[in-house]
Amino acid sequence: MTAKEYLNQVRLADRQIKVKLSELHSLKLNSAQISPQAKTDRVQTSSTCDVMKTVDKIVDMQNEINREIDNLVDLKREVRGKINQLDDNRYVLILTEYYINGKTWEKVAEDNNFSDRHVRRLHGWALQAFRKKYDLF
């Protein structure tokens, strides 16, 4: 695993959680539109069963998201600890802002009064330093 792949685990996990949160939101919206119909007992039973299935799916998805958030918090703690051990504070800043805080390169540059080009150059150097420190490819 390269240094970049190792660090990108955080951004990828964060994105996956956001996608699932969006799915959960849609599922909740759809479940609000399910309403029991009282025309016959059979339709009412079927509708109640559909509502319960949807509620079960929502609960399962919420539990899955919570587990993934717990894993993400642990991963961020691990990665942050390794980043913070780098000798150059600029490298720590760049890697933390991009990989841990999920900022874009443009936002990292703007927030720290760097040019986009300089941020990308620092990123390359930071990856090299990270790779050397942790014997990654």
Side-chain angles (χ1 to χ4, degrees):
M1 177 180 293
T2 67
K4 192 172 187 177
E5 290 169 340
Y6 175 77
L7 295 168
N8 257 327
Q9 292 178 98
V10 175
R11 289 179 67 88
L12 178 61
D14 195 42
R15 276 188 294 229
Q16 289 173 334
I17 289 169
K18 287 178 182 172
V19 166
K20 286 185 180 180
L21 285 170
S22 178
E23 290 174 20
L24 179 62
H25 179 70
S26 294
L27 191 56
K28 285 180 178 181
L29 286 176
N30 289 339
S31 71
Q33 295 173 0
I34 298 173
S35 60
Q37 298 173 354
K39 292 183 180 177
T40 68
D41 286 340
R42 182 169 186 195
V43 172
Q44 193 171 21
T45 303
S46 174
S47 181
T48 302
C49 194
D50 289 346
V51 170
M52 290 307 298
K53 285 180 184 177
T54 303
V55 169
D56 287 343
K57 287 179 185 179
I58 289 171
V59 169
D60 289 345
M61 185 171 268
Q62 285 174 325
N63 290 335
E64 181 180 339
I65 290 169
N66 287 338
R67 281 190 302 276
E68 289 184 19
I69 289 171
D70 289 343
N71 292 337
L72 177 60
V73 169
D74 292 341
L75 181 61
K76 280 186 174 186
R77 185 180 303 119
E78 173 190 321
V79 171
R80 183 180 286 114
K82 288 184 178 184
I83 289 172
N84 286 339
Q85 292 179 24
L86 294 175
D87 296 328
D88 192 319
N89 288 334
R90 297 172 305 163
Y91 298 168
V92 172
L93 176 71
I94 298 297
L95 296 179
T96 300
E97 291 282 67
Y98 185 74
Y99 293 105
I100 303 294
N101 297 336
K103 292 184 179 179
T104 63
W105 290 123
E106 293 76 18
K107 187 69 175 155
V108 173
E110 177 186 323
D111 289 352
N112 296 288
N113 297 318
F114 293 136
S115 69
D116 287 350
R117 185 174 178 187
H118 188 58
V119 165
R120 292 176 192 273
R121 186 175 25 244
L122 284 171
H123 175 250
W125 296 336
L127 287 177
Q128 289 175 0
F130 192 91
R131 179 185 52 80
K132 287 178 186 174
K133 184 156 190 90
Y134 296 106
D135 292 325
L136 298 170
F137 296 100

